[in-house]
Amino acid sequence: MPLEIPEVVINRLPVYARALSELEARGESVVSSQALGELLDVTPAQIRKDLSYFGRFGKQGRGYNVPGLLTKLREILGIDRQWRVCLVGVGRLGQAIAEYGGFGPQGFVVVAAFDASGAVVGTRLGDVVVRHADSLDEFLKANRVDIGIVAVPANEAQRVVDRLVASGIHAILNYAPIMAHVPRDVVIRHIDPVLAMQSMTFYISRHVPPGE
Amino acid sequence: MPLEIPEVVINRLPVYARALSELEARGESVVSSQALGELLDVTPAQIRKDLSYFGRFGKQGRGYNVPGLLTKLREILGIDRQWRVCLVGVGRLGQAIAEYGGFGPQGFVVVAAFDASGAVVGTRLGDVVVRHADSLDEFLKANRVDIGIVAVPANEAQRVVDRLVASGIHAILNYAPIMAHVPRDVVIRHIDPVLAMQSMTFYISRHVPPGE
DNA sequence: GCCTGTGAAGGATTTCACAGCC
DNA sequence: GGCTGTGAAATCCTTCACAGGC
């Protein structure tokens, strides 16, 4: 696997994987880059080029074997295993995240939740009991946790991120409305609906679609 | 305003605007591209270039006037006004979105909510009463709605998007885990925490940070 | 001296277009 | 005939570097 795969490519692979899951569920056994591209609004050349970073998965004249390519993509992305996740911040947002059923089936298991407020500490949330935020570092030292989800208010988010990083976490999903800083060996993704809305209003203010 | 502003640039402006709000709240009156860049992990040159698409807002030797630039950015983005939003899908996710307090203060007002299930139709949700999904098209014909938020299950999402588009909506925030198709004159943004997680696992699987 | 605004350079990503294979 | 894999070309985006103003 040649080093230096563009990050944009990595970000598209999960999209391909999801589409392949659907095709597999529908019983499709082969798909061409053309057909997959139509499904996803991506050019066939882009799909082929993206996949070519990792190997040669297709067959000329036929296309890609659906379950085969899906298995490959899952391996490449590392979504062929279980990942242990902790949630920090159990306000309304944190509760919604914990109760959201979308992570579990994809192999992301919430193994602990933390909050600083006595009101929620000790309550049950999904499969876990909410712990006090003071015990975060200790817990992370004693237990394997791969990914941290941050759902605390904006003014606490950077501090929480720093603590997660200091405890050895290398991947963070941040729901707080700040662009948190992390060292270069930590991946962070931001979920920020307000920013998404604010970039759309640019276009509807003028009624000019993006990209023209 | 020169035509053809790259979409990546538009996506960064809300980030700048948010940082400026904070600086303003802290009472800062001037900021250089250097200082703003440090706050946001962006190069100063990028900030200057981005802003230069829209005009000349800085003063040599000083930097940018914080409230002045913020006002300009708000105008450019169209976030200096109120936007009327409707929510489609009032399951757990939809409820969390409606009760999430982050949209209102930014000028996004939820004016209606819709669901197909008798269990929630008629219940109060924030400031609105949930209507039956059958009345969506009729409501959109009779009332100005600028942005649609989609929070229905994946298998219904494309249909809902199509109905919103058919009713003249040009901006959609999609929480469903599908890459919905829209015509070129409609903007759509996807909020997809699972995809975000799945792109991070690539890096932590190898312990190679993004971009090297 | 400090900092913006911006052409020009450099780098990254996407698309083209076609050889090669089923 | 259909479709992949891939160098090469084209496009898009970022960074450089400096003239010019405060």
Side-chain angles (χ1 to χ4, degrees):
Chain A
M1 200 170 315
L3 223 17
E4 280 310 354
I5 290 146
E7 196 170 338
V8 275
V9 172
I10 302 306
N11 292 336
R12 279 190 296 262
L13 297 187
V15 180
Y16 302 160
R18 183 142 72 197
L20 289 165
S21 291
E22 260 194 51
L23 291 171
E24 187 183 50
R26 277 197 236 148
E28 307 281 341
S29 66
V30 179
V31 69
S32 65
S33 59
Q34 171 78 50
L36 190 56
E38 272 161 28
L39 223 49
L40 295 172
D41 268 338
V42 171
T43 65
Q46 179 152 84
I47 293 174
R48 295 202 302 275
K49 179 66 102 179
D50 285 351
L51 297 177
S52 76
Y53 282 101
F54 302 96
R56 308 160 56 112
F57 307 118
K59 278 212 185 19
Q60 284 107 325
R62 302 258 306 134
Y64 299 89
N65 176 278
V66 170
L69 180 56
L70 179 55
T71 301
K72 277 295 180 189
L73 284 181
R74 282 212 240 259
E75 276 170 25
I76 291 164
L77 285 168
I79 55 176
D80 55 348
R81 34 191 185 293
Q82 299 254 109
W83 292 98
R84 295 167 55 91
V85 172
C86 78
L87 172 65
V88 187
V90 187
R92 251 209 294 266
L93 175 60
Q95 286 174 36
I97 295 166
E99 279 156 20
Y100 164 61
F103 287 130
Q106 302 303 321
F108 299 103
V109 188
V110 177
V111 298
F114 301 87
D115 200 285
S117 142
V120 287
V121 170
T123 61
R124 193 159 203 86
L125 186 71
D127 290 334
V128 301
V129 172
V130 180
R131 294 161 192 271
H132 194 280
D134 289 345
S135 65
L136 175 63
D137 311 64
E138 184 195 339
F139 183 91
L140 294 177
K141 245 102 221 179
N143 300 273
R144 188 191 120 213
V145 176
D146 306 300
I147 305 173
I149 300 183
V150 176
V152 301
N155 61 330
E156 292 165 31
Q158 184 64 59
R159 264 192 303 277
V160 168
V161 166
D162 292 344
R163 283 172 70 189
L164 291 170
V165 170
S167 295
I169 291 223
H170 287 268
I172 294 172
L173 189 66
N174 173 40
Y175 281 84
I178 64 154
M179 285 303 176
H181 296 300
V182 292
R184 265 207 289 72
D185 64 341
V186 175
V187 213
I188 185 164
R189 296 283 125 105
H190 301 275
I191 301 289
D192 202 322
V194 168
L195 291 187
M197 296 281 267
Q198 292 181 329
S199 67
M200 291 198 292
T201 54
F202 174 83
Y203 297 105
I204 56 177
S205 295
R206 285 164 195 62
H207 251 275
V208 175
E212 78 184 58
Chain B
M1 201 171 315
L3 57 165
E4 278 314 352
I5 290 147
E7 195 170 340
V8 274
V9 172
I10 302 303
N11 292 336
R12 279 190 297 263
L13 298 186
V15 180
Y16 301 160
R18 183 142 74 195
L20 289 165
S21 290
E22 258 193 54
L23 291 172
E24 186 182 49
R26 280 197 233 148
E28 307 280 341
S29 65
V30 180
V31 70
S32 65
S33 59
Q34 171 78 48
L36 190 57
E38 272 162 28
L39 223 50
L40 297 172
D41 268 337
V42 171
T43 65
Q46 179 151 85
I47 293 175
R48 295 202 301 276
K49 178 67 98 180
D50 286 352
L51 296 177
S52 77
Y53 282 101
F54 302 96
R56 309 159 57 112
F57 306 119
K59 278 212 189 13
Q60 283 108 325
R62 303 254 312 131
Y64 300 88
N65 176 279
V66 170
L69 181 55
L70 179 53
T71 301
K72 276 297 180 190
L73 284 180
R74 283 213 239 259
E75 276 171 27
I76 291 163
L77 285 169
I79 56 176
D80 55 347
R81 37 190 184 289
Q82 300 254 110
W83 292 98
R84 295 166 56 93
V85 172
C86 77
L87 172 65
V88 186
V90 186
R92 253 211 291 267
L93 175 60
Q95 285 172 36
I97 294 166
E99 278 155 19
Y100 164 60
F103 287 131
Q106 301 305 322
F108 299 103
V109 188
V110 177
V111 297
F114 300 87
D115 201 283
S117 142
V120 287
V121 171
T123 62
R124 194 158 202 87
L125 185 72
D127 289 336
V128 301
V129 172
V130 180
R131 294 161 192 270
H132 195 281
D134 289 345
S135 65
L136 175 63
D137 311 63
E138 183 196 341
F139 183 91
L140 294 177
K141 244 104 219 179
N143 299 273
R144 188 190 121 211
V145 175
D146 306 299
I147 305 172
I149 301 183
V150 176
V152 300
N155 61 331
E156 293 165 31
Q158 183 64 59
R159 263 192 304 276
V160 169
V161 166
D162 292 344
R163 283 172 68 190
L164 290 170
V165 170
S167 297
I169 289 219
H170 287 270
I172 293 172
L173 188 66
N174 174 40
Y175 281 83
I178 63 153
M179 286 301 176
H181 295 300
V182 292
R184 267 204 294 70
D185 64 343
V186 175
V187 210
I188 187 163
R189 296 284 124 101
H190 302 274
I191 301 289
D192 202 322
V194 168
L195 290 186
M197 297 280 268
Q198 291 181 328
S199 68
M200 292 198 291
T201 54
F202 174 83
Y203 296 105
I204 58 178
S205 294
R206 286 162 192 65
H207 249 273
V208 174
E212 79 184 57

